[in-house]
Amino acid sequence: MAYTTIDKPSDYFNTVLRSGLYGGSDTAFTVGFQPDLIWDKRRSGTSVHALFDSVRGFGSSGKVLYSNTADAEATNALIKSVSSTGFTVTASSDNTGTLVDWCWKAGTTASGTTNGSKAYSYSASPDAGFSVVTYTGNATAGHLIPHGMGKVPRLIHIKSRGDDNGWTSGSIASASAWNDHGYLHLANAFGTDANQFGATPDATNFRLGTGTGTNGNNGTRVAYCFADVQGYQKIGKFSGNANADGTFVYCGFKPRWIMIKGLNVARNWGMNDTKRSPINQTQDSLYANVSDAETGSGNYIDFLSNGFKLRDSALTMNGSYNYLFHAIAENPFVTSTGVPATAR
């Protein structure tokens, strides 16, 4: 039995912890690959969650979107450049305190015209089940957007680039699957609206309805797409139990990073990882939809060799509700050569 096709998850996802540059020199950081998505957040104080990617562009004219706001895309030169091993941050008086950068690798690029006669481009990793897609909407149901993963997406975050239409997030994990959607910039529960996605994506395309959030006519959008990859990435749902002896969620790997969001209840998009919390229980949480500094209490999670277990009754992650989770591996439960992962 093959447990994984990725023995070294850090070849596709890695986390950088850094201190602000306080107006000093440009500084290079090693990731281990050339990043295609960099998600930057100050840990020590209030600040936006800044998302940069290779399809929209890095550098002096680089483009940024903020997961905690509905704001249109802005120009931001924070990520001065990327290389085959990492990225360089531009010196800035705004770049202070302690920060985290979550980095994803995609890499296979393509562009063309959709079935709705609109332009698209993507950078995708079929191996890791991840892609960054830009496209133009046409306000017509059945608009197919190629994503390049060769796998069926289970979670997609879409944001309008040119206006303040907020983030629209769809997932197979929701109660009515792709007839539902949530908002990455808001705590709102997922709700039903078949006009945003409206149909299940396939291994080639994701499908859009007539909704302005995902398919406004002639509006440009960016989509971040994620698919299950055995031993590396899993998107699913679990039911919380509102107990300190919390729910256990099987992933098939030891997680590095986990995002959790209430599906049928208004809760923040909580993010924990083993780089910021190197020993169990993890408790250093950031929330994708708010600008708050990192919190070090509540939302306790044990990261185990084959999944994770909630360790408190906090409603954000373990109330008596259904939750969406997105987990990425630190190690597969068992490598392709039969080496098992060890617990922390």
Side-chain angles (χ1 to χ4, degrees):
M1 176 181 179
Y3 288 93
T4 186
T5 57
I6 296 177
D7 285 332
K8 188 180 179 184
S10 60
D11 285 344
Y12 297 91
F13 174 83
N14 214 340
T15 304
V16 173
L17 302 183
R18 61 186 180 87
S19 297
L21 306 178
Y22 303 99
S25 302
D26 298 342
T27 305
F29 296 91
T30 299
V31 176
F33 53 80
Q34 182 168 313
D36 289 287
L37 170 61
I38 300 174
W39 182 323
D40 177 269
K41 175 67 175 80
R42 183 178 294 121
R43 303 168 61 195
S44 56
T46 301
S47 74
V48 292
H49 290 255
L51 278 67
F52 304 84
D53 63 67
S54 61
V55 182
R56 294 180 300 126
F58 301 115
S60 59
S61 57
K63 303 301 181 183
V64 66
L65 287 165
Y66 306 110
S67 71
N68 60 294
T69 77
D71 294 351
E73 179 180 87
T75 299
N76 189 303
L78 177 68
I79 307 299
K80 182 176 183 178
S81 62
V82 296
S83 70
S84 62
T85 58
F87 62 95
T88 296
V89 172
T90 302
S92 168
S93 59
D94 292 330
N95 192 23
T96 60
T98 57
L99 302 101
V100 60
D101 291 281
W102 297 297
C103 302
W104 283 261
K105 176 183 177 181
T108 299
T109 60
S111 60
T113 304
T114 70
N115 73 319
S117 302
K118 298 296 183 180
Y120 75 88
S121 297
Y122 66 67
S123 181
S125 173
D127 290 338
F130 167 67
S131 66
V132 179
V133 186
T134 60
Y135 66 92
T136 301
N138 70 355
T140 300
H143 195 190
L144 303 179
I145 311 298
H147 53 71
M149 294 190 294
K151 297 175 173 63
V152 178
R154 291 178 61 85
L155 175 65
I156 302 175
H157 302 295
I158 294 177
K159 176 66 179 78
S160 170
R161 299 175 62 187
D163 57 47
D164 61 359
N165 278 296
W167 292 83
T168 304
S169 299
S171 177
I172 189 65
S174 189
S176 296
W178 296 97
N179 286 322
D180 291 351
H181 72 278
Y183 307 96
L184 185 62
H185 64 297
L186 299 173
N188 299 37
F190 274 55
T192 300
D193 180 359
N195 291 324
Q196 299 303 331
F197 295 96
T200 302
D202 60 32
T204 303
N205 304 289
F206 59 89
R207 293 168 167 80
L208 301 177
T210 58
T212 302
T214 60
N215 198 24
N217 193 36
N218 293 323
T220 57
R221 302 286 189 274
V222 63
Y224 300 122
C225 305
F226 303 89
D228 277 5
V229 176
Q230 186 171 338
Y232 170 75
Q233 180 165 255
K234 189 170 181 62
I235 297 103
K237 68 179 177 181
F238 67 88
S239 296
N241 66 5
N243 195 294
D245 184 13
T247 299
F248 166 74
V249 180
Y250 178 80
C251 295
F253 52 78
K254 178 165 68 173
R256 162 69 82 184
W257 178 91
I258 299 171
M259 172 184 275
I260 294 174
K261 169 70 179 82
L263 286 168
N264 59 331
V265 63
R267 292 291 178 262
N268 291 332
W269 297 76
M271 296 180 288
N272 287 34
D273 65 70
T274 61
K275 201 68 175 286
R276 291 179 297 126
S277 296
I279 60 173
N280 282 335
Q281 302 160 338
T282 66
Q283 61 188 54
D284 295 322
S285 296
L286 288 164
Y287 302 102
N289 57 297
V290 296
S291 61
D292 297 3
E294 182 177 274
T295 178
S297 61
N299 299 324
Y300 302 123
I301 308 176
D302 278 345
F303 283 52
L304 308 175
S305 62
N306 60 350
F308 61 94
K309 183 175 175 64
L310 285 301
R311 288 295 189 184
D312 70 28
S313 58
L315 298 182
T316 301
M317 296 185 179
N318 191 37
S320 297
Y321 306 103
N322 293 325
Y323 293 85
L324 164 73
F325 75 90
H326 176 193
I328 300 176
E330 180 173 338
N331 294 110
F333 185 37
V334 180
T335 70
S336 63
T337 58
V339 178
T342 56
R344 298 208 294 164

